Amino acid sequence: RMVLVLAGLMTAAAVHAAAPVTYDFEADDAAAAWVATGPNATAKVSHAEADVRAGKGALLWADAGQPGAPFSLTKAELDIAGARSLALSAKASSQAPLAFSLAEEDGSAYHTFVTLPAEQWCDIALPLTDFQLQDGSQDENGALDADQARTFTIQELANMPGEFGDIFGTKLG
């Protein structure tokens, strides 16, 4: 079983005077905007002190873990126009190799990777320039355009089939 806790997601705007776009998890219905996929995957807001780093809530994302079963969390209808980076705080129950992906409205997909240590809060900065075009994806200008990004996905890379599974291993629930 793997549990990932997100304390929040925000953007850093290109113009310093612009307020960052923030997705927080303080309201009980905030998880409804996020879709968890995978066997027995769940995404819910937690107000438990152990799960909250700042503010009043966090998104608790959990999965039972099965070999070959993708485990992901997606936020659609994303609006990060003008952003230069994404920032979030996260804590994983066990070491977690993660892929962070952004998809533009035309379907072109970009990703970057981070591995979280077990049981430690981490502040993660994801400059948009770190996102690389995914293999098999095409983009008209070969660059991630923040104003065209519509979907943000976090995928846990352990338990994946094939080469990823060989590299990152498995975690069984």
Side-chain angles (χ1 to χ4, degrees):
R1 175 174 167 86
M2 209 285 282
V3 177
L4 182 71
V5 182
L6 297 178
L9 170 68
M10 63 185 278
T11 63
V15 179
H16 294 289
V21 177
T22 302
Y23 298 95
D24 67 36
F25 306 110
E26 296 192 0
D28 289 330
D29 63 352
W34 296 76
V35 176
T37 58
N40 302 312
T42 59
K44 64 181 182 178
V45 171
S46 173
H47 300 289
E49 190 174 319
D51 296 334
V52 178
R53 183 169 193 188
K56 299 177 185 170
L59 185 65
L60 190 65
W61 171 41
D63 181 86
Q66 292 181 4
F71 172 37
S72 63
L73 183 68
T74 300
K75 168 68 175 95
E77 299 179 18
L78 189 70
D79 181 5
I80 61 168
R84 291 180 303 169
S85 66
L86 302 177
L88 58 112
S89 292
K91 178 174 73 170
S93 60
S94 59
Q95 182 173 319
L98 302 172
F100 293 88
S101 303
L102 286 167
E104 293 183 358
E105 55 196 9
D106 67 1
S108 44
Y110 291 81
H111 59 198
T112 192
F113 304 93
V114 172
T115 297
L116 295 180
E119 298 297 335
Q120 293 178 16
W121 279 107
C122 297
D123 292 322
I124 302 167
L126 303 170
L128 297 188
T129 55
D130 285 358
F131 284 79
Q132 301 297 311
L133 189 63
Q134 290 183 10
D135 290 344
S137 188
Q138 296 180 342
D139 191 1
E140 81 285 352
N141 65 0
L144 175 61
D145 299 300
D147 62 325
Q148 295 178 27
R150 294 294 175 261
T151 306
F152 176 66
T153 301
I154 305 169
Q155 184 164 14
E156 214 255 344
L157 298 175
N159 300 324
M160 296 292 292
E163 184 179 348
F164 279 119
D166 295 340
I167 294 169
F168 298 112
T170 60
K171 296 177 187 175
L172 301 177

